[in-house]
């Protein structure tokens, strides 16, 4: 169950998005698993429907879920291929960093800076 920190700095839609993105990435939610309806989740969390809809839309844009009309929103198989693409890019980055003589620490600092921006 998603827990929303209404006093925190992170917007509620982002808390919902992050919760489901982590659950999908960690395979707690397998491919094909159905997410709660937008209305039901909004009611359970005490959020506006548009807030949950935005989180679901961003998950869909990231390829982690797909909306099937009246059948609801389910975990997409694309999440696995997206994860593989990121792993391949990371391996390529690590190889390039080594070729250019960057230390592991320096390479990680560059990645952290990129993730922050």
């Amino acid at each position: 169950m998603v827990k929303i920190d209404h006093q925190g700095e992170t917007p509620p839609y982002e808390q919902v998005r992050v919760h489901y993105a982590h659950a999908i990435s960690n395979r707690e939610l397998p491919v094909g698993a159905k997410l709660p309806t937008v209305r039901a989740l909004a009611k359970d969390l005490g959020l506006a429907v548009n807030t949950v809809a935005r989180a679901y839309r961003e998950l869909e844009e990231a390829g982690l879920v797909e909306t099937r009309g009246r059948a609801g929103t389910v975990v997409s198989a694309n999440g696995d291929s997206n994860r593989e693409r990121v792993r391949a890019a990371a391996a390529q980055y690590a190889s390039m960093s080594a070729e250019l003589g960057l230390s592991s620490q320096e390479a990680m600092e560059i990645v952290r800076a990129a993730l922050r921006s």
Side-chain angles (χ1 to χ4, degrees):
M1 178 69 172
V2 183
K3 293 186 180 169
I4 301 298
D5 177 5
H6 294 281
Q7 305 305 319
E9 292 181 20
T10 305
Y13 82 88
E14 181 67 6
Q15 293 178 50
V16 172
R17 187 197 67 76
V18 167
H19 169 81
Y20 280 109
H22 282 240
I24 293 166
S25 296
N26 296 336
R27 294 187 172 87
E28 295 167 24
L29 288 173
V31 171
K34 192 170 179 180
L35 274 60
T37 65
V38 169
R39 289 187 194 285
L41 186 59
K43 182 179 177 187
D44 289 347
L45 299 176
L47 298 173
V49 171
N50 287 339
T51 300
V52 175
R54 179 175 178 183
Y56 277 27
R57 193 169 42 253
E58 290 192 11
L59 289 166
E60 189 164 22
E61 288 171 3
L64 296 174
V65 300
E66 58 187 60
T67 301
R68 298 179 177 166
R70 292 186 166 248
T73 302
V74 297
V75 175
S76 171
N78 289 338
D80 286 337
S81 64
N82 288 345
R83 193 175 294 109
E84 184 52 42
R85 288 177 53 206
V86 171
R87 274 193 219 113
Q92 184 178 7
Y93 175 74
S95 176
M96 180 188 296
S97 297
E99 286 174 19
L100 296 173
L102 273 68
S103 69
S104 295
Q105 181 178 351
E106 203 173 5
M108 287 303 296
E109 287 172 11
I110 292 169
V111 170
R112 284 187 193 97
L115 289 171
R116 281 191 297 267
S117 60

